[in-house]
Amino acid sequence: MKFTFAPEAAPLAGYTIKRAIDRGGFGEVYYALSDSGKEVALKLLQRNQQVELRGVRQCLNLKHPNLVTIFDIKSDAEDDSWVVMEFVSGKSLEQVLEDHPKGLPIAEVEAWLSGMAAGIGFLHDRGIVHRDLKPANVFRENGVVKIGDVGLSKFITPSRRSAQTESVGTVYYMAPEVAHGKYGSELDVYSLGIMLYELLTGQVPFNGESTGEILMKHMTEAPDLTRIAAQFRPVLARALEKDPQRRTPGAMVLADEFRRAVQGLPVGEHAAAARPVNGKAVGGEPSGHAHTLPYPLASGPPSPAGSAPKTATPQTGKQFFAEEVRRNPWLVLALGFVFLFVFPGVAAHVGWRGGPFVPMGSTAAFVYLIYWFVKHYHKLTNAPGGPAGNGRNPVPAGRSPQTAGPDPIAAMKPLAPVIAVPVAKFVPKVVPPKKGPPQFSPATVRSIDLRTRLGGLSSSMALAVFWTVPATFLAALAAKYWSVLGPGAVNTLADPASIGLFGLTTVLGSWAVLLPAKLREGGGAETTPRRLIATALGAAVGACAFWLDQSLMVEPRFNSVFPGLFSSIGQFPLLGASRDPTLAGFVTFFAALFALLHWWWQADGFRSRRLKVSSALASGLMAFFIPALFVFPQGWGVCWAVAISLVVQLSAPWVSPGHRHGFVDDKPVV
Amino acid sequence: MSALAMSDYLLGAPAVADRSQRFRLWIDRVGVFLVCLGDSITIGGPAADGAADVSLLANLSRRHATLSRSGERYVIYAHAPVLIAGRPLHERADLCDGNELQLGGSVRLRFRLPCVMSGSARLDFLSDHRPAYAADAVVLMHDTCLLGPAAENHIVCPDWPQSLLLYRQGGALCCKSRDDLFIDGRHSPGGGELPPGTVVTATDIRFRLETIS
């Protein structure tokens, strides 16, 4: 990125440029020192100079602790205009969000929101709309939130709130009515709502590949509020209303509603009380409501707010159930268990003897289904039970469900003379997906130096030995009290030899996962080579387990709910005379177990969570079904798989998502 | 310039070499960093004369603590109340990567050794206290100082395409990079010496070295 002025340049008398800060939408910004040492930000206006200057002049004498102060406007020898501004050294909200990919703690959200709302409320009170609110324009210095770039601000008067011919602002935070050339104060509230959503979740509600796509989503798509805690949904639903007239009537009201939601106070009634009375919102802030043109019918194109597709056509309970079945594998599993419980004949027919797993699984499935039903009751019955419907169909707070839908007649009533509004000129262009926390996964390619790699491997292998002790203890407990090893197998793990076999094999299995995972970490997905290596190592673990089995003279009691499709591999039987697994049995089971699962994913530093119980359960599930193909003591197999998964996850180093970006760049030149 | 001694390079006045072995790096789109070349730096509050190497606008003693480098180790000497990781420091202690230091009642700093390959360290400001003259962090430079996009650089420059190395050679300060560098407008592929006041530019990179007198 090239900048016009070099360090130590002094285009403006009395100021020396020290470094460039950034290039904004309207020009370059520099850090400069006055002759006496006062630090300032100098903004050189290049494009749209007149547009910007007009706005900046209006804000020149505005003083508010939450707004970046503008000191002066000056011209240089080349007659270029410069804005001399307060330099804010704190982090921008954009940087803070990059550090918090899953959103900020609620107290932090409240601090940011109240600061922004105070600044924006002040601007609105002075009749000015910011129009370019976005995280990159908001800073926090010494605990005080400051909004920058008020240069884009415009006076709002009824005659000037439309008829803008130029679209400005950043598309992720752009209110739908901007597409129709409307620039009322409501658009700042919308932007604030988008930022509140991003503060809570770490993501913007509307993302896409191009400007056009994102704009279309702003105009037609309801925000997915299911990612927001229930108490905040009405607040967000109202702030992100497509129709500016129905939107939260002011920035301060939005902050107040959020504060009430944090305290667990009802937002709906409060919001109703806060609705503008004679054009004034609670708190004395001009709402802009009195002179807001009714957005839905004011202009030619189909009105997104008037039609509000998702709001107007709520999902039926049946549709919701179908979607859940598609999205939620646990629901399918639970339904499957209940089916087997209700129709035991089916299980018998397919040769599944069940053992203790059917009652255990069915009980768990029933409990889960009850929980699921209670949680989604109002969605299934399509009743407006929740404060915001099902979250995808937000009902504006403070309105009864009956009046929540579009009412064209009511919308038309306050229609002043309809103005032919020029539609803003949007040039759809390809934009990169929303910058922000990149999603790193174990498949992310990154370079790791050998020292770090070996350090991680040795420490995790040592930790694996440590974690195997509690894992073995848990397996022994499971064997003793829950009889998961099947009838007649109680106390199987109680004797020292069995514990030795189980523990040592678990350690070996964990090492067999950790070794290739750590040595190839950062090499991308490479599924096939990884699987081949895992299969070979699995076979080796199986051979070692057999050797231990023979050395320790353990007889893993055979039990399996499946008859097993293969009882031998070629001429090698999988079970011996005493139904004890043979070398072929051990090797086959462990090779299959290692081949069928993405074990390296569980050991990678970029896995989604340090310990994911579902990964352990999935590993156990895989081990549960392998004996359906190759006969093997099922209880032992399941316990080994779960134990290896837990030990691997607990031992392998993990990088928290916020710190991952630092691990994917090129290594420095040394 | 190659024969220039470090003290000459920085000041030309060996008598005050200890105090003067500091410079600022003004880096476009990143910030400003105070780089200290001495083996020992003092941290303290504001003072009209005899201020510490890192003089913070904070309620601290004039010389509150000293950080010394000994080989690859860093030792902190407390001349006034200092806490390390919340525990009071009596006289001296070795510093480890990530140690949080509290000087006086409210100044909080974090000691970092970002790169295992280099003995240079960095002090991050955790509280809002800053030096009277701008600095986003302090680098205690041993032989090398890395600037680049990855977290293990001493100065993290997120938008840089690759890293750049500052290093001492024969008493002079030099830089090295795979990028095509221009030093004060002169094409210097691979790098070169950096006289005081130098501006280094490359694709998406620009910084200036400013000596502190």
Side-chain angles (χ1 to χ4, degrees):
Chain A
M1 192 179 283
K2 301 287 180 208
F3 291 91
T4 311
F5 291 95
E8 297 299 301
L12 272 188
Y15 296 98
T16 306
I17 286 177
K18 304 304 287 187
R19 67 178 178 91
I21 296 175
D22 210 348
R23 191 193 302 278
F26 282 77
E28 297 170 352
V29 188
Y30 295 92
Y31 173 98
L33 290 177
S34 75
D35 290 348
S36 54
K38 172 82 176 167
E39 52 184 16
V40 293
L42 294 181
K43 186 170 189 177
L44 170 64
L45 303 184
Q46 289 169 315
R47 288 157 284 163
N48 297 298
Q49 197 174 83
Q50 288 312 310
V51 176
E52 175 110 342
L53 264 185
R54 215 165 48 218
V56 174
R57 285 211 178 96
Q58 311 296 356
C59 306
L60 202 51
N61 289 313
L62 289 180
K63 289 175 196 155
H64 192 276
N66 296 115
L67 298 180
V68 173
T69 306
I70 299 170
F71 294 136
D72 210 348
I73 301 171
K74 286 178 175 284
S75 295
D76 62 15
E78 306 291 319
D79 213 26
D80 280 330
S81 294
W82 292 79
V83 183
V84 186
M85 296 184 293
E86 171 190 5
F87 173 71
V88 185
S89 63
K91 275 188 174 180
S92 72
L93 179 55
E94 188 179 35
Q95 291 167 309
V96 172
L97 284 166
E98 276 173 18
D99 295 340
H100 294 83
K102 290 190 173 173
L104 271 64
I106 296 300
E108 284 290 293
V109 175
E110 204 177 340
W112 280 98
L113 180 66
S114 61
M116 289 191 289
I120 290 300
F122 175 81
L123 275 183
H124 291 181
D125 191 42
R126 299 297 184 272
I128 289 165
V129 185
H130 187 287
R131 305 203 322 176
D132 194 23
L133 271 179
K134 56 186 175 186
N137 270 347
V138 186
F139 307 87
R140 198 163 169 204
E141 184 183 54
N142 300 341
V144 179
V145 174
K146 287 189 180 275
I147 300 167
D149 251 357
V150 282
L152 287 170
S153 306
K154 293 281 171 195
F155 257 99
I156 344 164
T157 63
S159 60
R160 291 175 66 182
R161 38 189 304 109
S162 56
Q164 302 285 344
T165 53
E166 190 170 17
S167 293
V168 292
T170 307
V171 72
Y172 297 108
Y173 306 91
M174 195 180 275
E177 65 267 25
V178 175
H180 297 264
K182 293 187 174 53
Y183 296 90
S185 64
E186 303 88 352
L187 72 86
D188 282 344
V189 177
Y190 185 87
S191 304
L192 217 50
I194 299 276
M195 283 199 277
L196 176 57
Y197 187 101
E198 198 176 1
L199 281 164
L200 289 167
T201 63
Q203 304 287 324
V204 286
F206 305 117
N207 210 339
E209 295 283 313
S210 67
T211 308
E213 185 189 345
I214 299 165
L215 274 174
M216 193 49 70
K217 284 182 178 173
H218 277 299
M219 294 170 73
T220 57
E221 212 171 81
D224 179 7
L225 297 181
T226 53
R227 304 168 63 187
I228 308 273
Q231 78 255 41
F232 303 128
R233 287 179 195 166
V235 181
L236 262 304
R238 198 167 176 230
L240 298 179
E241 261 288 348
K242 309 289 183 203
D243 181 353
Q245 225 182 343
R246 292 183 185 170
R247 205 171 291 153
T248 313
M252 293 298 280
V253 180
L254 172 57
D256 190 40
E257 285 186 357
F258 184 77
R259 198 162 36 244
R260 289 179 66 85
V262 171
Q263 292 164 358
L265 298 170
V267 173
E269 291 88 312
H270 173 74
R275 279 222 156 258
V277 178
N278 298 328
K280 287 276 178 186
V282 169
E285 184 187 61
S287 65
H289 182 79
H291 50 229
T292 303
L293 287 173
Y295 171 66
L297 300 173
S299 53
S303 160
S307 53
K310 286 196 176 178
T311 311
T313 54
Q315 226 175 5
T316 63
K318 206 170 168 182
Q319 285 169 334
F320 173 74
F321 180 72
E323 195 181 322
E324 274 287 291
V325 167
R326 191 169 51 80
R327 286 184 356 178
N328 187 346
W330 296 111
L331 180 63
V332 178
L333 196 66
L335 290 170
F337 264 108
V338 171
F339 179 81
L340 286 175
F341 181 78
V342 176
F343 302 103
V346 176
H349 184 71
V350 296
W352 189 13
R353 281 172 259 150
F357 291 96
V358 166
M360 275 172 60
S362 302
T363 310
F366 271 119
V367 171
Y368 177 78
L369 284 177
I370 291 167
Y371 158 78
W372 182 87
F373 183 77
V374 170
K375 187 179 172 190
H376 300 294
Y377 172 74
H378 64 274
K379 293 176 191 170
L380 286 166
T381 54
N382 206 20
N390 64 12
R392 286 182 174 274
N393 311 312
V395 177
R399 283 166 179 266
S400 69
Q402 287 74 23
T403 59
D407 184 355
I409 305 296
M412 282 180 71
K413 273 181 188 168
L415 248 184
V418 176
I419 301 167
V421 180
V423 176
K425 293 172 190 163
F426 281 110
V427 183
K429 61 175 182 183
V430 173
V431 293
K434 163 73 179 145
K435 244 173 77 177
Q439 298 300 313
F440 297 118
S441 76
T444 304
V445 177
R446 58 206 188 271
S447 56
I448 301 168
D449 62 65
L450 190 64
R451 192 170 159 179
T452 313
R453 208 178 274 279
L454 292 178
L457 176 64
S458 56
S459 64
S460 53
M461 284 175 79
L463 273 172
V465 178
F466 169 81
W467 283 114
T468 297
V469 177
T472 307
F473 179 71
L474 277 179
L477 270 184
K480 185 169 174 63
Y481 294 106
W482 296 339
S483 307
V484 293
L485 299 183
V490 178
N491 290 335
T492 298
L493 264 178
D495 71 288
S498 298
I499 286 178
L501 172 64
F502 186 86
L504 289 170
T505 308
T506 304
V507 170
L508 288 173
S510 313
W511 287 359
V513 174
L514 290 166
L515 200 72
K518 287 292 144 198
L519 290 181
R520 297 181 70 87
E521 190 167 14
E526 298 183 328
T527 310
T528 310
R530 282 179 192 273
R531 272 190 203 277
L532 287 173
I533 294 168
T535 311
L537 286 169
V541 171
C544 291
F546 173 73
W547 178 78
L548 285 167
D549 176 39
Q550 298 300 308
S551 307
L552 295 168
M553 290 182 286
V554 183
E555 288 183 9
R557 188 73 61 86
F558 179 80
N559 66 310
S560 178
V561 296
F562 301 113
L565 202 59
F566 303 103
S567 54
S568 63
I569 300 289
Q571 55 181 348
F572 302 107
L574 299 177
L575 290 181
S578 57
R579 293 183 72 72
D580 191 18
T582 59
L583 174 63
F586 272 112
V587 168
T588 310
F589 173 79
F590 278 100
L593 183 64
F594 276 61
L596 292 171
L597 280 166
H598 269 125
W599 283 98
W600 64 277
W601 203 272
Q602 301 185 28
D604 197 281
F606 278 17
R607 60 191 183 274
S608 59
R609 268 175 279 166
R610 175 179 283 280
L611 177 63
K612 211 169 164 187
V613 177
S614 60
S615 296
L617 292 178
S619 309
L621 202 65
M622 185 57 75
F624 179 83
F625 285 108
I626 288 173
L629 283 176
F630 308 107
V631 289
F632 191 79
Q634 199 171 26
W636 280 81
V638 170
C639 287
W640 260 322
V642 173
I644 291 171
S645 171
L646 290 174
V647 169
V648 163
Q649 292 184 67
L650 288 166
S651 313
W654 180 73
V655 183
S656 65
H659 294 96
R660 288 181 187 179
H661 62 278
F663 288 77
V664 295
D665 295 305
D666 287 347
K667 295 297 290 177
V669 185
V670 179
Chain B
M1 193 60 200
S2 61
L4 201 64
M6 180 55 81
S7 55
D8 292 336
Y9 160 77
L10 288 161
L11 274 200
V16 282
D18 187 35
R19 285 285 319 285
S20 64
Q21 289 189 340
R22 294 175 299 155
F23 61 89
R24 275 198 198 91
L25 275 180
W26 294 92
I27 309 173
D28 279 5
R29 296 186 297 144
V30 179
V32 53
F33 298 84
L34 176 62
V35 182
C36 301
L37 296 168
D39 284 336
S40 175
I41 61 156
T42 51
I43 305 172
D49 57 337
D53 298 316
V54 180
S55 171
L56 300 172
L57 287 175
N59 187 15
L60 297 179
S61 301
R62 200 175 61 171
R63 283 166 186 270
H64 202 99
T66 303
L67 259 71
S68 278
R69 181 172 47 239
S70 163
E72 302 222 326
R73 286 166 54 223
Y74 280 85
V75 183
I76 182 169
Y77 297 88
H79 313 306
V82 173
L83 305 181
I84 297 186
R87 279 178 294 193
L89 169 65
H90 302 291
E91 203 175 334
R92 54 167 285 173
D94 280 7
L95 287 174
C96 306
D97 181 32
N99 273 160
E100 189 177 321
L101 314 175
Q102 185 176 323
L103 277 60
S106 54
V107 175
R108 290 189 303 118
L109 307 169
R110 172 157 292 140
F111 178 81
R112 294 299 321 273
L113 282 166
C115 179
V116 290
M117 311 286 281
S118 164
S120 299
R122 190 179 74 223
L123 279 178
D124 292 332
F125 300 114
L126 297 183
S127 58
D128 297 323
H129 303 89
R130 295 283 186 281
Y133 295 102
D136 293 318
V138 180
V139 177
L140 285 68
M141 182 170 162
H142 186 212
D143 288 328
T144 56
C145 174
L146 283 159
L147 291 79
E152 59 263 42
N153 288 283
H154 298 103
I155 299 176
V156 178
C157 308
D159 296 324
W160 281 23
Q162 53 188 310
S163 291
L164 180 144
L165 179 74
L166 290 182
Y167 63 99
R168 308 187 200 207
Q169 191 176 54
L173 197 67
C174 304
C175 75
K176 189 163 79 175
S177 171
R178 285 188 198 138
D179 226 330
D180 223 9
L181 294 181
F182 288 82
I183 300 177
D184 276 337
R186 272 181 297 108
H187 188 213
S188 313
E193 284 185 19
L194 304 179
T198 305
V199 177
V200 179
T201 49
T203 319
D204 285 333
I205 292 177
R206 189 170 72 179
F207 66 86
R208 180 173 184 270
L209 211 78
E210 181 185 80
T211 50
I212 300 173
S213 55

Short mmCIF file of all heavy atoms in Angstrom, two decimals, chain A residues 584-603:
data_model
loop_
_atom_site.label_atom_id
_atom_site.label_comp_id
_atom_site.label_asym_id
_atom_site.label_seq_id
_atom_site.Cartn_x
_atom_site.Cartn_y
_atom_site.Cartn_z
N ALA A 584 -4.58 -62.36 14.77
CA ALA A 584 -5.34 -61.80 13.64
C ALA A 584 -6.51 -60.97 14.14
O ALA A 584 -6.84 -59.91 13.58
CB ALA A 584 -5.84 -62.93 12.75
N GLY A 585 -7.15 -61.42 15.22
CA GLY A 585 -8.31 -60.70 15.78
C GLY A 585 -7.90 -59.33 16.27
O GLY A 585 -8.54 -58.32 15.95
N PHE A 586 -6.82 -59.27 17.06
CA PHE A 586 -6.35 -57.99 17.59
C PHE A 586 -5.93 -57.06 16.46
O PHE A 586 -6.29 -55.88 16.43
CB PHE A 586 -5.15 -58.21 18.55
CG PHE A 586 -5.57 -58.47 19.97
CD1 PHE A 586 -5.38 -59.72 20.56
CD2 PHE A 586 -6.13 -57.46 20.74
CE1 PHE A 586 -5.75 -59.96 21.87
CE2 PHE A 586 -6.50 -57.69 22.06
CZ PHE A 586 -6.31 -58.95 22.63
N VAL A 587 -5.12 -57.61 15.55
CA VAL A 587 -4.59 -56.77 14.46
C VAL A 587 -5.74 -56.23 13.62
O VAL A 587 -5.78 -55.04 13.29
CB VAL A 587 -3.59 -57.59 13.59
CG1 VAL A 587 -3.27 -56.84 12.31
CG2 VAL A 587 -2.32 -57.86 14.38
N THR A 588 -6.70 -57.09 13.30
CA THR A 588 -7.81 -56.65 12.46
C THR A 588 -8.61 -55.56 13.15
O THR A 588 -8.94 -54.54 12.54
CB THR A 588 -8.75 -57.84 12.14
OG1 THR A 588 -7.95 -58.91 11.67
CG2 THR A 588 -9.79 -57.46 11.12
N PHE A 589 -8.92 -55.78 14.43
CA PHE A 589 -9.75 -54.80 15.13
C PHE A 589 -9.07 -53.44 15.18
O PHE A 589 -9.64 -52.41 14.81
CB PHE A 589 -10.07 -55.27 16.55
CG PHE A 589 -10.78 -54.20 17.35
CD1 PHE A 589 -12.14 -53.97 17.17
CD2 PHE A 589 -10.09 -53.41 18.26
CE1 PHE A 589 -12.80 -52.98 17.88
CE2 PHE A 589 -10.74 -52.41 18.97
CZ PHE A 589 -12.09 -52.21 18.78
N PHE A 590 -7.80 -53.42 15.62
CA PHE A 590 -7.13 -52.13 15.78
C PHE A 590 -6.83 -51.47 14.43
O PHE A 590 -6.90 -50.24 14.30
CB PHE A 590 -5.86 -52.27 16.62
CG PHE A 590 -6.15 -52.28 18.10
CD1 PHE A 590 -6.21 -53.48 18.81
CD2 PHE A 590 -6.42 -51.11 18.77
CE1 PHE A 590 -6.50 -53.49 20.16
CE2 PHE A 590 -6.71 -51.11 20.13
CZ PHE A 590 -6.76 -52.31 20.83
N ALA A 591 -6.51 -52.27 13.44
CA ALA A 591 -6.28 -51.69 12.11
C ALA A 591 -7.56 -51.05 11.60
O ALA A 591 -7.54 -49.93 11.07
CB ALA A 591 -5.80 -52.77 11.15
N ALA A 592 -8.69 -51.74 11.80
CA ALA A 592 -9.97 -51.18 11.35
C ALA A 592 -10.31 -49.93 12.13
O ALA A 592 -10.74 -48.91 11.57
CB ALA A 592 -11.07 -52.23 11.51
N LEU A 593 -10.09 -49.98 13.44
CA LEU A 593 -10.42 -48.84 14.30
C LEU A 593 -9.60 -47.61 13.88
O LEU A 593 -10.11 -46.49 13.81
CB LEU A 593 -10.12 -49.19 15.77
CG LEU A 593 -10.46 -48.12 16.80
CD1 LEU A 593 -11.96 -47.87 16.84
CD2 LEU A 593 -9.97 -48.53 18.18
N PHE A 594 -8.32 -47.82 13.58
CA PHE A 594 -7.46 -46.70 13.22
C PHE A 594 -7.72 -46.22 11.79
O PHE A 594 -7.52 -45.06 11.47
CB PHE A 594 -5.98 -47.07 13.39
CG PHE A 594 -5.51 -46.88 14.80
CD1 PHE A 594 -6.08 -47.60 15.85
CD2 PHE A 594 -4.51 -45.97 15.10
CE1 PHE A 594 -5.66 -47.41 17.17
CE2 PHE A 594 -4.08 -45.77 16.41
CZ PHE A 594 -4.66 -46.51 17.45
N ALA A 595 -8.19 -47.15 10.96
CA ALA A 595 -8.40 -46.77 9.55
C ALA A 595 -9.70 -45.99 9.38
O ALA A 595 -9.79 -45.10 8.54
CB ALA A 595 -8.42 -48.02 8.68
N LEU A 596 -10.71 -46.33 10.18
CA LEU A 596 -12.04 -45.78 9.92
C LEU A 596 -12.27 -44.41 10.54
O LEU A 596 -13.24 -43.74 10.20
CB LEU A 596 -13.11 -46.77 10.43
CG LEU A 596 -13.19 -48.08 9.64
CD1 LEU A 596 -14.11 -49.08 10.34
CD2 LEU A 596 -13.70 -47.82 8.23
N LEU A 597 -11.43 -44.00 11.46
CA LEU A 597 -11.66 -42.70 12.12
C LEU A 597 -10.57 -41.71 11.76
O LEU A 597 -9.43 -42.07 11.48
CB LEU A 597 -11.67 -42.89 13.64
CG LEU A 597 -12.97 -43.42 14.23
CD1 LEU A 597 -12.73 -43.87 15.66
CD2 LEU A 597 -14.07 -42.39 14.20
N HIS A 598 -10.93 -40.44 11.80
CA HIS A 598 -9.97 -39.35 11.61
C HIS A 598 -9.25 -39.11 12.93
O HIS A 598 -9.42 -38.08 13.56
CB HIS A 598 -10.70 -38.05 11.24
CG HIS A 598 -10.85 -37.86 9.79
ND1 HIS A 598 -12.06 -37.66 9.19
CD2 HIS A 598 -9.93 -37.84 8.79
CE1 HIS A 598 -11.88 -37.52 7.89
NE2 HIS A 598 -10.61 -37.63 7.63
N TRP A 599 -8.43 -40.05 13.35
CA TRP A 599 -7.82 -39.89 14.69
C TRP A 599 -6.95 -38.66 14.77
O TRP A 599 -6.88 -37.99 15.80
CB TRP A 599 -6.97 -41.13 15.01
CG TRP A 599 -7.81 -42.31 15.42
CD1 TRP A 599 -8.19 -43.34 14.62
CD2 TRP A 599 -8.39 -42.56 16.69
NE1 TRP A 599 -8.97 -44.23 15.32
CE2 TRP A 599 -9.11 -43.77 16.60
CE3 TRP A 599 -8.39 -41.88 17.90
CZ2 TRP A 599 -9.80 -44.31 17.66
CZ3 TRP A 599 -9.08 -42.42 18.98
CH2 TRP A 599 -9.78 -43.62 18.85
N TRP A 600 -6.20 -38.34 13.68
CA TRP A 600 -5.28 -37.22 13.73
C TRP A 600 -5.99 -35.91 14.02
O TRP A 600 -5.44 -34.99 14.58
CB TRP A 600 -4.49 -37.13 12.42
CG TRP A 600 -5.34 -36.83 11.22
CD1 TRP A 600 -6.06 -37.71 10.49
CD2 TRP A 600 -5.55 -35.55 10.63
NE1 TRP A 600 -6.71 -37.08 9.47
CE2 TRP A 600 -6.41 -35.74 9.53
CE3 TRP A 600 -5.10 -34.27 10.92
CZ2 TRP A 600 -6.84 -34.70 8.73
CZ3 TRP A 600 -5.53 -33.22 10.10
CH2 TRP A 600 -6.39 -33.45 9.03
N TRP A 601 -7.27 -35.86 13.62
CA TRP A 601 -8.06 -34.65 13.86
C TRP A 601 -8.17 -34.37 15.36
O TRP A 601 -8.17 -33.24 15.82
CB TRP A 601 -9.44 -34.87 13.24
CG TRP A 601 -10.18 -33.60 12.90
CD1 TRP A 601 -10.98 -32.89 13.73
CD2 TRP A 601 -10.19 -32.89 11.66
NE1 TRP A 601 -11.48 -31.80 13.09
CE2 TRP A 601 -11.02 -31.77 11.82
CE3 TRP A 601 -9.59 -33.10 10.43
CZ2 TRP A 601 -11.27 -30.86 10.80
CZ3 TRP A 601 -9.84 -32.19 9.42
CH2 TRP A 601 -10.66 -31.08 9.60
N GLN A 602 -8.27 -35.46 16.15
CA GLN A 602 -8.41 -35.31 17.61
C GLN A 602 -7.11 -34.89 18.27
O GLN A 602 -7.11 -34.40 19.40
CB GLN A 602 -8.89 -36.64 18.23
CG GLN A 602 -10.21 -37.12 17.67
CD GLN A 602 -10.71 -38.37 18.38
OE1 GLN A 602 -10.40 -38.59 19.55
NE2 GLN A 602 -11.50 -39.17 17.71
N ALA A 603 -5.99 -35.11 17.57
CA ALA A 603 -4.69 -34.80 18.17
C ALA A 603 -4.14 -33.48 17.68
O ALA A 603 -3.14 -33.00 18.19
CB ALA A 603 -3.70 -35.92 17.84
#
